[in-house]
Amino acid sequence: MGALCTGHWGREAWEPPIPAGGRPAPRSPLPLPSQDAARSRRRRRALLHASLCASPGCGAAMSPLRWGAWLLLLAGPAASTASPADESGGARGGGRGDGERGARDEPQRQHHDSSYGTFASEFYDLRYLSEEGYPFPTAPPVDPFAKIRVDDCGKTKGCFRYGKPGCNAETCDYFLSYRRIGADVEFELSADTDGWVAVGFSSDKKMGGDDVMACVHDDNGRVRIQHFYNVGQWAKEIQRNPARDEEGIFENNRVTCRFKRPVYVPRDETIVDLHLSWYYLFAWGPAIQGSITRHDIDSPPVSERVVSIYKYEDIFMPSAAYQTFSSPFCLLLIVALTFYLLMGTP
């Protein structure tokens, strides 16, 4: 009878019996796993042992779930290697029928063992590697909205400001900038509102038949870029949206957005070619459940002349409150009153 070694199975784990003639029968070497597979199993076991026994007394404090993962890893590779005694026993006493049945069962057993070992390793990787310093992959952080720069107005981009003299993109009642980037035009819009801010491209200074781009603040806190077409005094949403590279933010009770749209577009009634010059209509107002409503002021500001994307200007338009005090008649009245008070009545 052969002798079984007390160590792990290997080439010297089983000695065949010596026949009566005194000459030992030729030995059939047992199949061994590849070096890469063995190295991978040893590494997984080492990682598992380190994670399970990282502190003193880990055996007593180890949870049943961790013991289960450890046993699965140990059992997986062992189950895929058949015992020499079983193989020799089947060859000696099983006969042809057992041999054929064993040959039929071999692919199924190998598939089962492979799936078992894969499950055990994946169970460990998913459950424990993230806790031991191997974080799960995460989505890249989203860049915050870059503030609108007004120092470039009139130099590398055109700007329109409406509100208090000297205001910027964060303090004007309405602000718009535009600049060419390759085959696109980048627009930046901002307004003192919690609803929407828009710009319209018109062949005249009146509302009607205009291509409109609007940034709308919805109930979920998002700012979406939408395309509209003015039918008379009503803005109709158009599903075909030329905007891209969209971004927007609602902060400090202001809706601010940035987007691009192509300079040239296929012929479409609702989308104009920006290489042509248009009057710009400026508007903003409240929104209800993400839908725009009437603009805040009855007569929204309009550019005094047509705007070309190939010419950068920094244009300021005072709001109604400042227009009153800057009109010539008002200045003349102030001078007259001042003179009257200083000279007194005769």
Side-chain angles (χ1 to χ4, degrees), residues 248-280:
I249 188 174
F250 176 72
E251 189 176 40
N252 298 327
N253 200 47
R254 292 189 70 90
V255 175
T256 306
C257 65
R258 182 183 292 115
F259 62 90
K260 298 176 184 175
R261 58 175 279 173
V263 176
Y264 298 94
V265 295
R267 184 175 180 83
D268 191 312
E269 181 184 1
T270 63
I271 303 177
V272 301
D273 280 333
L274 294 177
H275 75 281
L276 301 175
S277 298
W278 304 92
Y279 289 100
Y280 281 15

PDB file of all heavy atoms in Angstrom, residues 248-280:
ATOM      1  N   GLY A 248     -25.329  75.239 -16.274  1.00  0.00           N
ATOM      2  CA  GLY A 248     -26.079  76.301 -15.636  1.00  0.00           C
ATOM      3  C   GLY A 248     -26.106  76.135 -14.134  1.00  0.00           C
ATOM      4  O   GLY A 248     -25.823  75.047 -13.603  1.00  0.00           O
ATOM      5  N   ILE A 249     -26.440  77.207 -13.450  1.00  0.00           N
ATOM      6  CA  ILE A 249     -26.473  77.177 -11.989  1.00  0.00           C
ATOM      7  C   ILE A 249     -27.504  78.195 -11.500  1.00  0.00           C
ATOM      8  O   ILE A 249     -27.721  79.238 -12.143  1.00  0.00           O
ATOM      9  CB  ILE A 249     -25.066  77.490 -11.411  1.00  0.00           C
ATOM     10  CG1 ILE A 249     -25.045  77.270  -9.896  1.00  0.00           C
ATOM     11  CG2 ILE A 249     -24.641  78.907 -11.758  1.00  0.00           C
ATOM     12  CD1 ILE A 249     -23.653  77.412  -9.298  1.00  0.00           C
ATOM     13  N   PHE A 250     -28.134  77.867 -10.387  1.00  0.00           N
ATOM     14  CA  PHE A 250     -29.003  78.812  -9.699  1.00  0.00           C
ATOM     15  C   PHE A 250     -28.388  79.088  -8.339  1.00  0.00           C
ATOM     16  O   PHE A 250     -28.269  78.190  -7.504  1.00  0.00           O
ATOM     17  CB  PHE A 250     -30.417  78.253  -9.550  1.00  0.00           C
ATOM     18  CG  PHE A 250     -31.333  79.154  -8.760  1.00  0.00           C
ATOM     19  CD1 PHE A 250     -31.785  80.347  -9.306  1.00  0.00           C
ATOM     20  CD2 PHE A 250     -31.728  78.817  -7.477  1.00  0.00           C
ATOM     21  CE1 PHE A 250     -32.619  81.188  -8.586  1.00  0.00           C
ATOM     22  CE2 PHE A 250     -32.569  79.645  -6.752  1.00  0.00           C
ATOM     23  CZ  PHE A 250     -33.011  80.830  -7.304  1.00  0.00           C
ATOM     24  N   GLU A 251     -27.985  80.330  -8.141  1.00  0.00           N
ATOM     25  CA  GLU A 251     -27.271  80.679  -6.911  1.00  0.00           C
ATOM     26  C   GLU A 251     -27.504  82.147  -6.602  1.00  0.00           C
ATOM     27  O   GLU A 251     -27.492  82.996  -7.512  1.00  0.00           O
ATOM     28  CB  GLU A 251     -25.773  80.398  -7.092  1.00  0.00           C
ATOM     29  CG  GLU A 251     -24.943  80.502  -5.828  1.00  0.00           C
ATOM     30  CD  GLU A 251     -23.506  80.104  -6.076  1.00  0.00           C
ATOM     31  OE1 GLU A 251     -22.959  80.460  -7.143  1.00  0.00           O
ATOM     32  OE2 GLU A 251     -22.917  79.437  -5.211  1.00  0.00           O
ATOM     33  N   ASN A 252     -27.709  82.439  -5.317  1.00  0.00           N
ATOM     34  CA  ASN A 252     -27.946  83.819  -4.869  1.00  0.00           C
ATOM     35  C   ASN A 252     -29.112  84.461  -5.625  1.00  0.00           C
ATOM     36  O   ASN A 252     -29.037  85.633  -6.031  1.00  0.00           O
ATOM     37  CB  ASN A 252     -26.677  84.660  -5.033  1.00  0.00           C
ATOM     38  CG  ASN A 252     -25.527  84.138  -4.196  1.00  0.00           C
ATOM     39  OD1 ASN A 252     -25.725  83.610  -3.101  1.00  0.00           O
ATOM     40  ND2 ASN A 252     -24.317  84.272  -4.716  1.00  0.00           N
ATOM     41  N   ASN A 253     -30.152  83.677  -5.810  1.00  0.00           N
ATOM     42  CA  ASN A 253     -31.364  84.129  -6.493  1.00  0.00           C
ATOM     43  C   ASN A 253     -31.070  84.632  -7.908  1.00  0.00           C
ATOM     44  O   ASN A 253     -31.711  85.556  -8.411  1.00  0.00           O
ATOM     45  CB  ASN A 253     -32.075  85.225  -5.695  1.00  0.00           C
ATOM     46  CG  ASN A 253     -33.534  85.369  -6.097  1.00  0.00           C
ATOM     47  OD1 ASN A 253     -34.245  84.380  -6.216  1.00  0.00           O
ATOM     48  ND2 ASN A 253     -33.990  86.607  -6.332  1.00  0.00           N
ATOM     49  N   ARG A 254     -30.092  84.005  -8.568  1.00  0.00           N
ATOM     50  CA  ARG A 254     -29.757  84.348  -9.942  1.00  0.00           C
ATOM     51  C   ARG A 254     -29.689  83.068 -10.771  1.00  0.00           C
ATOM     52  O   ARG A 254     -29.190  82.038 -10.319  1.00  0.00           O
ATOM     53  CB  ARG A 254     -28.402  85.060 -10.041  1.00  0.00           C
ATOM     54  CG  ARG A 254     -28.362  86.432  -9.431  1.00  0.00           C
ATOM     55  CD  ARG A 254     -27.055  87.124  -9.775  1.00  0.00           C
ATOM     56  NE  ARG A 254     -26.988  87.471 -11.194  1.00  0.00           N
ATOM     57  CZ  ARG A 254     -27.410  88.622 -11.698  1.00  0.00           C
ATOM     58  NH1 ARG A 254     -27.949  89.545 -10.905  1.00  0.00           N
ATOM     59  NH2 ARG A 254     -27.300  88.870 -12.983  1.00  0.00           N
ATOM     60  N   VAL A 255     -30.199  83.166 -11.982  1.00  0.00           N
ATOM     61  CA  VAL A 255     -30.072  82.091 -12.957  1.00  0.00           C
ATOM     62  C   VAL A 255     -28.918  82.452 -13.893  1.00  0.00           C
ATOM     63  O   VAL A 255     -28.946  83.512 -14.529  1.00  0.00           O
ATOM     64  CB  VAL A 255     -31.371  81.884 -13.753  1.00  0.00           C
ATOM     65  CG1 VAL A 255     -31.176  80.848 -14.841  1.00  0.00           C
ATOM     66  CG2 VAL A 255     -32.506  81.470 -12.820  1.00  0.00           C
ATOM     67  N   THR A 256     -27.923  81.585 -13.955  1.00  0.00           N
ATOM     68  CA  THR A 256     -26.739  81.816 -14.789  1.00  0.00           C
ATOM     69  C   THR A 256     -26.488  80.570 -15.612  1.00  0.00           C
ATOM     70  O   THR A 256     -26.603  79.446 -15.103  1.00  0.00           O
ATOM     71  CB  THR A 256     -25.512  82.137 -13.922  1.00  0.00           C
ATOM     72  OG1 THR A 256     -25.816  83.228 -13.047  1.00  0.00           O
ATOM     73  CG2 THR A 256     -24.312  82.503 -14.788  1.00  0.00           C
ATOM     74  N   CYS A 257     -26.135  80.751 -16.877  1.00  0.00           N
ATOM     75  CA  CYS A 257     -25.915  79.593 -17.739  1.00  0.00           C
ATOM     76  C   CYS A 257     -24.870  79.921 -18.789  1.00  0.00           C
ATOM     77  O   CYS A 257     -24.513  81.091 -19.017  1.00  0.00           O
ATOM     78  CB  CYS A 257     -27.221  79.143 -18.413  1.00  0.00           C
ATOM     79  SG  CYS A 257     -27.908  80.368 -19.561  1.00  0.00           S
ATOM     80  N   ARG A 258     -24.403  78.863 -19.433  1.00  0.00           N
ATOM     81  CA  ARG A 258     -23.403  78.974 -20.503  1.00  0.00           C
ATOM     82  C   ARG A 258     -23.668  77.851 -21.497  1.00  0.00           C
ATOM     83  O   ARG A 258     -23.888  76.704 -21.104  1.00  0.00           O
ATOM     84  CB  ARG A 258     -22.001  78.874 -19.920  1.00  0.00           C
ATOM     85  CG  ARG A 258     -20.880  79.016 -20.955  1.00  0.00           C
ATOM     86  CD  ARG A 258     -19.513  78.827 -20.309  1.00  0.00           C
ATOM     87  NE  ARG A 258     -19.196  79.916 -19.391  1.00  0.00           N
ATOM     88  CZ  ARG A 258     -19.047  79.766 -18.071  1.00  0.00           C
ATOM     89  NH1 ARG A 258     -19.220  78.560 -17.518  1.00  0.00           N
ATOM     90  NH2 ARG A 258     -18.745  80.791 -17.298  1.00  0.00           N
ATOM     91  N   PHE A 259     -23.637  78.161 -22.779  1.00  0.00           N
ATOM     92  CA  PHE A 259     -23.863  77.139 -23.801  1.00  0.00           C
ATOM     93  C   PHE A 259     -23.249  77.606 -25.114  1.00  0.00           C
ATOM     94  O   PHE A 259     -22.883  78.788 -25.276  1.00  0.00           O
ATOM     95  CB  PHE A 259     -25.361  76.853 -23.982  1.00  0.00           C
ATOM     96  CG  PHE A 259     -26.164  78.035 -24.447  1.00  0.00           C
ATOM     97  CD1 PHE A 259     -26.350  78.297 -25.808  1.00  0.00           C
ATOM     98  CD2 PHE A 259     -26.740  78.905 -23.531  1.00  0.00           C
ATOM     99  CE1 PHE A 259     -27.087  79.394 -26.238  1.00  0.00           C
ATOM    100  CE2 PHE A 259     -27.477  80.005 -23.952  1.00  0.00           C
ATOM    101  CZ  PHE A 259     -27.650  80.247 -25.316  1.00  0.00           C
ATOM    102  N   LYS A 260     -23.165  76.672 -26.042  1.00  0.00           N
ATOM    103  CA  LYS A 260     -22.675  76.969 -27.386  1.00  0.00           C
ATOM    104  C   LYS A 260     -23.741  76.571 -28.406  1.00  0.00           C
ATOM    105  O   LYS A 260     -24.521  75.651 -28.162  1.00  0.00           O
ATOM    106  CB  LYS A 260     -21.380  76.207 -27.684  1.00  0.00           C
ATOM    107  CG  LYS A 260     -20.219  76.548 -26.783  1.00  0.00           C
ATOM    108  CD  LYS A 260     -19.023  75.663 -27.095  1.00  0.00           C
ATOM    109  CE  LYS A 260     -17.878  75.922 -26.134  1.00  0.00           C
ATOM    110  NZ  LYS A 260     -16.746  74.982 -26.360  1.00  0.00           N
ATOM    111  N   ARG A 261     -23.719  77.261 -29.541  1.00  0.00           N
ATOM    112  CA  ARG A 261     -24.551  76.861 -30.667  1.00  0.00           C
ATOM    113  C   ARG A 261     -23.787  77.188 -31.949  1.00  0.00           C
ATOM    114  O   ARG A 261     -22.995  78.139 -31.983  1.00  0.00           O
ATOM    115  CB  ARG A 261     -25.931  77.502 -30.648  1.00  0.00           C
ATOM    116  CG  ARG A 261     -25.976  78.983 -30.638  1.00  0.00           C
ATOM    117  CD  ARG A 261     -27.398  79.492 -30.751  1.00  0.00           C
ATOM    118  NE  ARG A 261     -27.892  79.496 -32.128  1.00  0.00           N
ATOM    119  CZ  ARG A 261     -29.138  79.758 -32.469  1.00  0.00           C
ATOM    120  NH1 ARG A 261     -30.039  80.025 -31.530  1.00  0.00           N
ATOM    121  NH2 ARG A 261     -29.517  79.755 -33.737  1.00  0.00           N
ATOM    122  N   PRO A 262     -23.984  76.427 -32.999  1.00  0.00           N
ATOM    123  CA  PRO A 262     -23.200  76.627 -34.219  1.00  0.00           C
ATOM    124  C   PRO A 262     -23.504  77.960 -34.903  1.00  0.00           C
ATOM    125  O   PRO A 262     -24.620  78.480 -34.813  1.00  0.00           O
ATOM    126  CB  PRO A 262     -23.603  75.438 -35.097  1.00  0.00           C
ATOM    127  CG  PRO A 262     -24.933  75.006 -34.580  1.00  0.00           C
ATOM    128  CD  PRO A 262     -24.917  75.284 -33.106  1.00  0.00           C
ATOM    129  N   VAL A 263     -22.490  78.467 -35.573  1.00  0.00           N
ATOM    130  CA  VAL A 263     -22.671  79.707 -36.323  1.00  0.00           C
ATOM    131  C   VAL A 263     -23.582  79.460 -37.523  1.00  0.00           C
ATOM    132  O   VAL A 263     -24.539  80.201 -37.760  1.00  0.00           O
ATOM    133  CB  VAL A 263     -21.303  80.261 -36.778  1.00  0.00           C
ATOM    134  CG1 VAL A 263     -21.503  81.504 -37.647  1.00  0.00           C
ATOM    135  CG2 VAL A 263     -20.426  80.581 -35.576  1.00  0.00           C
ATOM    136  N   TYR A 264     -23.274  78.409 -38.263  1.00  0.00           N
ATOM    137  CA  TYR A 264     -24.062  78.064 -39.450  1.00  0.00           C
ATOM    138  C   TYR A 264     -24.956  76.869 -39.117  1.00  0.00           C
ATOM    139  O   TYR A 264     -24.522  75.903 -38.473  1.00  0.00           O
ATOM    140  CB  TYR A 264     -23.155  77.706 -40.622  1.00  0.00           C
ATOM    141  CG  TYR A 264     -22.253  78.837 -41.064  1.00  0.00           C
ATOM    142  CD1 TYR A 264     -20.965  78.939 -40.570  1.00  0.00           C
ATOM    143  CD2 TYR A 264     -22.687  79.790 -41.979  1.00  0.00           C
ATOM    144  CE1 TYR A 264     -20.126  79.974 -40.971  1.00  0.00           C
ATOM    145  CE2 TYR A 264     -21.865  80.828 -42.385  1.00  0.00           C
ATOM    146  CZ  TYR A 264     -20.582  80.917 -41.882  1.00  0.00           C
ATOM    147  OH  TYR A 264     -19.764  81.935 -42.283  1.00  0.00           O
ATOM    148  N   VAL A 265     -26.179  76.930 -39.551  1.00  0.00           N
ATOM    149  CA  VAL A 265     -27.122  75.830 -39.350  1.00  0.00           C
ATOM    150  C   VAL A 265     -27.846  75.571 -40.661  1.00  0.00           C
ATOM    151  O   VAL A 265     -27.955  76.475 -41.512  1.00  0.00           O
ATOM    152  CB  VAL A 265     -28.155  76.157 -38.246  1.00  0.00           C
ATOM    153  CG1 VAL A 265     -27.477  76.284 -36.900  1.00  0.00           C
ATOM    154  CG2 VAL A 265     -28.926  77.422 -38.582  1.00  0.00           C
ATOM    155  N   PRO A 266     -28.338  74.337 -40.869  1.00  0.00           N
ATOM    156  CA  PRO A 266     -29.172  74.091 -42.058  1.00  0.00           C
ATOM    157  C   PRO A 266     -30.397  74.996 -42.055  1.00  0.00           C
ATOM    158  O   PRO A 266     -30.856  75.450 -41.001  1.00  0.00           O
ATOM    159  CB  PRO A 266     -29.556  72.611 -41.906  1.00  0.00           C
ATOM    160  CG  PRO A 266     -28.528  72.033 -41.000  1.00  0.00           C
ATOM    161  CD  PRO A 266     -28.123  73.127 -40.063  1.00  0.00           C
ATOM    162  N   ARG A 267     -30.890  75.270 -43.214  1.00  0.00           N
ATOM    163  CA  ARG A 267     -32.008  76.209 -43.334  1.00  0.00           C
ATOM    164  C   ARG A 267     -33.189  75.736 -42.484  1.00  0.00           C
ATOM    165  O   ARG A 267     -33.678  74.618 -42.622  1.00  0.00           O
ATOM    166  CB  ARG A 267     -32.429  76.330 -44.802  1.00  0.00           C
ATOM    167  CG  ARG A 267     -33.530  77.353 -45.035  1.00  0.00           C
ATOM    168  CD  ARG A 267     -33.810  77.518 -46.513  1.00  0.00           C
ATOM    169  NE  ARG A 267     -34.855  78.503 -46.743  1.00  0.00           N
ATOM    170  CZ  ARG A 267     -34.657  79.808 -46.786  1.00  0.00           C
ATOM    171  NH1 ARG A 267     -33.449  80.291 -46.613  1.00  0.00           N
ATOM    172  NH2 ARG A 267     -35.668  80.636 -47.009  1.00  0.00           N
ATOM    173  N   ASP A 268     -33.589  76.592 -41.566  1.00  0.00           N
ATOM    174  CA  ASP A 268     -34.685  76.273 -40.660  1.00  0.00           C
ATOM    175  C   ASP A 268     -35.351  77.584 -40.259  1.00  0.00           C
ATOM    176  O   ASP A 268     -34.664  78.558 -39.908  1.00  0.00           O
ATOM    177  CB  ASP A 268     -34.175  75.514 -39.434  1.00  0.00           C
ATOM    178  CG  ASP A 268     -35.288  74.930 -38.582  1.00  0.00           C
ATOM    179  OD1 ASP A 268     -36.249  75.656 -38.276  1.00  0.00           O
ATOM    180  OD2 ASP A 268     -35.190  73.750 -38.221  1.00  0.00           O
ATOM    181  N   GLU A 269     -36.657  77.587 -40.257  1.00  0.00           N
ATOM    182  CA  GLU A 269     -37.378  78.816 -39.935  1.00  0.00           C
ATOM    183  C   GLU A 269     -37.173  79.234 -38.495  1.00  0.00           C
ATOM    184  O   GLU A 269     -37.168  80.434 -38.181  1.00  0.00           O
ATOM    185  CB  GLU A 269     -38.873  78.619 -40.218  1.00  0.00           C
ATOM    186  CG  GLU A 269     -39.720  79.854 -39.929  1.00  0.00           C
ATOM    187  CD  GLU A 269     -41.205  79.597 -40.124  1.00  0.00           C
ATOM    188  OE1 GLU A 269     -41.556  78.455 -40.464  1.00  0.00           O
ATOM    189  OE2 GLU A 269     -41.990  80.536 -39.928  1.00  0.00           O
ATOM    190  N   THR A 270     -36.979  78.257 -37.596  1.00  0.00           N
ATOM    191  CA  THR A 270     -36.908  78.573 -36.173  1.00  0.00           C
ATOM    192  C   THR A 270     -35.486  78.790 -35.673  1.00  0.00           C
ATOM    193  O   THR A 270     -35.301  79.159 -34.513  1.00  0.00           O
ATOM    194  CB  THR A 270     -37.555  77.437 -35.361  1.00  0.00           C
ATOM    195  OG1 THR A 270     -36.811  76.224 -35.557  1.00  0.00           O
ATOM    196  CG2 THR A 270     -38.999  77.228 -35.792  1.00  0.00           C
ATOM    197  N   ILE A 271     -34.468  78.540 -36.502  1.00  0.00           N
ATOM    198  CA  ILE A 271     -33.072  78.704 -36.076  1.00  0.00           C
ATOM    199  C   ILE A 271     -32.381  79.617 -37.087  1.00  0.00           C
ATOM    200  O   ILE A 271     -32.343  79.317 -38.280  1.00  0.00           O
ATOM    201  CB  ILE A 271     -32.339  77.349 -35.993  1.00  0.00           C
ATOM    202  CG1 ILE A 271     -33.080  76.401 -35.053  1.00  0.00           C
ATOM    203  CG2 ILE A 271     -30.910  77.543 -35.511  1.00  0.00           C
ATOM    204  CD1 ILE A 271     -32.460  75.024 -34.972  1.00  0.00           C
ATOM    205  N   VAL A 272     -31.809  80.704 -36.603  1.00  0.00           N
ATOM    206  CA  VAL A 272     -31.174  81.670 -37.494  1.00  0.00           C
ATOM    207  C   VAL A 272     -29.681  81.369 -37.612  1.00  0.00           C
ATOM    208  O   VAL A 272     -29.084  80.708 -36.755  1.00  0.00           O
ATOM    209  CB  VAL A 272     -31.375  83.109 -36.961  1.00  0.00           C
ATOM    210  CG1 VAL A 272     -32.861  83.428 -36.844  1.00  0.00           C
ATOM    211  CG2 VAL A 272     -30.668  83.299 -35.623  1.00  0.00           C
ATOM    212  N   ASP A 273     -29.077  81.878 -38.678  1.00  0.00           N
ATOM    213  CA  ASP A 273     -27.634  81.814 -38.849  1.00  0.00           C
ATOM    214  C   ASP A 273     -27.013  82.996 -38.113  1.00  0.00           C
ATOM    215  O   ASP A 273     -27.331  84.159 -38.395  1.00  0.00           O
ATOM    216  CB  ASP A 273     -27.266  81.880 -40.334  1.00  0.00           C
ATOM    217  CG  ASP A 273     -27.430  80.537 -41.020  1.00  0.00           C
ATOM    218  OD1 ASP A 273     -27.325  79.520 -40.325  1.00  0.00           O
ATOM    219  OD2 ASP A 273     -27.669  80.521 -42.242  1.00  0.00           O
ATOM    220  N   LEU A 274     -26.104  82.671 -37.188  1.00  0.00           N
ATOM    221  CA  LEU A 274     -25.527  83.739 -36.376  1.00  0.00           C
ATOM    222  C   LEU A 274     -24.432  84.512 -37.100  1.00  0.00           C
ATOM    223  O   LEU A 274     -23.949  85.520 -36.578  1.00  0.00           O
ATOM    224  CB  LEU A 274     -24.977  83.144 -35.072  1.00  0.00           C
ATOM    225  CG  LEU A 274     -26.046  82.568 -34.127  1.00  0.00           C
ATOM    226  CD1 LEU A 274     -25.395  81.955 -32.908  1.00  0.00           C
ATOM    227  CD2 LEU A 274     -27.026  83.657 -33.718  1.00  0.00           C
ATOM    228  N   HIS A 275     -24.007  84.045 -38.274  1.00  0.00           N
ATOM    229  CA  HIS A 275     -23.007  84.849 -38.999  1.00  0.00           C
ATOM    230  C   HIS A 275     -23.643  86.103 -39.582  1.00  0.00           C
ATOM    231  O   HIS A 275     -22.943  87.030 -39.983  1.00  0.00           O
ATOM    232  CB  HIS A 275     -22.360  84.007 -40.111  1.00  0.00           C
ATOM    233  CG  HIS A 275     -23.241  83.791 -41.307  1.00  0.00           C
ATOM    234  ND1 HIS A 275     -24.251  82.853 -41.306  1.00  0.00           N
ATOM    235  CD2 HIS A 275     -23.286  84.403 -42.527  1.00  0.00           C
ATOM    236  CE1 HIS A 275     -24.862  82.887 -42.481  1.00  0.00           C
ATOM    237  NE2 HIS A 275     -24.303  83.813 -43.239  1.00  0.00           N
ATOM    238  N   LEU A 276     -24.976  86.138 -39.594  1.00  0.00           N
ATOM    239  CA  LEU A 276     -25.695  87.349 -39.974  1.00  0.00           C
ATOM    240  C   LEU A 276     -25.920  88.210 -38.736  1.00  0.00           C
ATOM    241  O   LEU A 276     -25.820  87.733 -37.599  1.00  0.00           O
ATOM    242  CB  LEU A 276     -27.032  86.994 -40.618  1.00  0.00           C
ATOM    243  CG  LEU A 276     -26.966  86.113 -41.872  1.00  0.00           C
ATOM    244  CD1 LEU A 276     -28.366  85.748 -42.335  1.00  0.00           C
ATOM    245  CD2 LEU A 276     -26.187  86.810 -42.985  1.00  0.00           C
ATOM    246  N   SER A 277     -26.227  89.456 -38.941  1.00  0.00           N
ATOM    247  CA  SER A 277     -26.445  90.385 -37.826  1.00  0.00           C
ATOM    248  C   SER A 277     -27.925  90.445 -37.479  1.00  0.00           C
ATOM    249  O   SER A 277     -28.787  90.484 -38.374  1.00  0.00           O
ATOM    250  CB  SER A 277     -25.931  91.788 -38.195  1.00  0.00           C
ATOM    251  OG  SER A 277     -24.540  91.761 -38.430  1.00  0.00           O
ATOM    252  N   TRP A 278     -28.201  90.457 -36.182  1.00  0.00           N
ATOM    253  CA  TRP A 278     -29.575  90.472 -35.692  1.00  0.00           C
ATOM    254  C   TRP A 278     -29.708  91.461 -34.543  1.00  0.00           C
ATOM    255  O   TRP A 278     -28.734  91.764 -33.849  1.00  0.00           O
ATOM    256  CB  TRP A 278     -29.992  89.071 -35.196  1.00  0.00           C
ATOM    257  CG  TRP A 278     -29.837  87.987 -36.218  1.00  0.00           C
ATOM    258  CD1 TRP A 278     -28.748  87.200 -36.407  1.00  0.00           C
ATOM    259  CD2 TRP A 278     -30.790  87.593 -37.205  1.00  0.00           C
ATOM    260  NE1 TRP A 278     -28.960  86.325 -37.436  1.00  0.00           N
ATOM    261  CE2 TRP A 278     -30.223  86.543 -37.959  1.00  0.00           C
ATOM    262  CE3 TRP A 278     -32.089  88.013 -37.529  1.00  0.00           C
ATOM    263  CZ2 TRP A 278     -30.880  85.913 -38.993  1.00  0.00           C
ATOM    264  CZ3 TRP A 278     -32.748  87.390 -38.566  1.00  0.00           C
ATOM    265  CH2 TRP A 278     -32.147  86.353 -39.282  1.00  0.00           C
ATOM    266  N   TYR A 279     -30.942  91.926 -34.320  1.00  0.00           N
ATOM    267  CA  TYR A 279     -31.233  92.636 -33.077  1.00  0.00           C
ATOM    268  C   TYR A 279     -31.325  91.592 -31.958  1.00  0.00           C
ATOM    269  O   TYR A 279     -31.896  90.516 -32.151  1.00  0.00           O
ATOM    270  CB  TYR A 279     -32.548  93.401 -33.169  1.00  0.00           C
ATOM    271  CG  TYR A 279     -32.494  94.611 -34.060  1.00  0.00           C
ATOM    272  CD1 TYR A 279     -33.003  94.551 -35.360  1.00  0.00           C
ATOM    273  CD2 TYR A 279     -31.952  95.804 -33.603  1.00  0.00           C
ATOM    274  CE1 TYR A 279     -32.960  95.661 -36.191  1.00  0.00           C
ATOM    275  CE2 TYR A 279     -31.903  96.916 -34.427  1.00  0.00           C
ATOM    276  CZ  TYR A 279     -32.395  96.841 -35.719  1.00  0.00           C
ATOM    277  OH  TYR A 279     -32.340  97.939 -36.544  1.00  0.00           O
ATOM    278  N   TYR A 280     -30.787  91.944 -30.791  1.00  0.00           N
ATOM    279  CA  TYR A 280     -30.842  91.037 -29.650  1.00  0.00           C
ATOM    280  C   TYR A 280     -31.942  91.513 -28.698  1.00  0.00           C
ATOM    281  O   TYR A 280     -31.958  92.685 -28.282  1.00  0.00           O
ATOM    282  CB  TYR A 280     -29.511  90.999 -28.917  1.00  0.00           C
ATOM    283  CG  TYR A 280     -28.460  90.131 -29.593  1.00  0.00           C
ATOM    284  CD1 TYR A 280     -28.611  89.700 -30.911  1.00  0.00           C
ATOM    285  CD2 TYR A 280     -27.309  89.737 -28.913  1.00  0.00           C
ATOM    286  CE1 TYR A 280     -27.666  88.913 -31.533  1.00  0.00           C
ATOM    287  CE2 TYR A 280     -26.352  88.942 -29.528  1.00  0.00           C
ATOM    288  CZ  TYR A 280     -26.517  88.538 -30.835  1.00  0.00           C
ATOM    289  OH  TYR A 280     -25.578  87.751 -31.460  1.00  0.00           O
TER     290      TYR A 280
END
